[in-house]
Amino acid sequence: MRREKAFRGISKRLAVHYLENLGGELVAGEREDDAEARVAGEDWTVTLSAEKVSVGGSMQLTEVSVAFEGEADAVEELVEKFSQKAMRAGG
């Protein structure tokens, strides 16, 4: 199963940290300036990328694109838990 979501107001580094707290391990993209990062868990893999997006006028926020892949049950649970953490962070 594959599911994609975008989160605003968090950094890619913070998103990786959340995924590590949810049982994942960073396997690619260790530096903040890497185009993508990949975090793998037991039954899932997540690919992250970030870009600045305009939200009105000259205001910009970081938007982190997150692609969740893996076993359907594991992905659904991970998306829910990650989304809760990301919402509390700011976006």
Side-chain angles (χ1 to χ4, degrees):
M1 168 181 202
R2 180 178 172 90
R3 203 153 155 214
E4 295 182 34
K5 291 188 80 163
F7 298 88
R8 292 184 174 178
I10 66 170
S11 67
K12 186 172 57 169
R13 179 192 55 75
L14 186 57
V16 167
H17 177 73
Y18 290 159
L19 290 165
E20 288 173 330
N21 285 341
L22 292 169
E25 180 180 334
L26 182 66
V27 294
E30 294 183 36
R31 298 183 325 234
E32 185 66 26
D33 62 342
D34 288 338
E36 288 187 346
R38 192 172 317 107
V39 179
E42 187 173 327
D43 295 324
W44 53 266
T45 301
V46 175
T47 304
L48 305 106
S49 61
E51 66 179 325
K52 293 284 187 184
V53 294
S54 295
V55 292
S58 61
M59 188 172 162
Q60 290 190 326
L61 288 175
T62 299
E63 181 174 271
V64 177
S65 297
V66 186
F68 302 88
E69 295 182 76
E71 300 284 329
D73 290 342
V75 168
E76 288 298 326
E77 181 179 349
L78 180 64
V79 169
E80 182 178 332
K81 288 180 178 179
F82 180 84
S83 296
Q84 289 174 356
K85 287 180 175 287
M87 295 286 238
R88 285 195 301 261

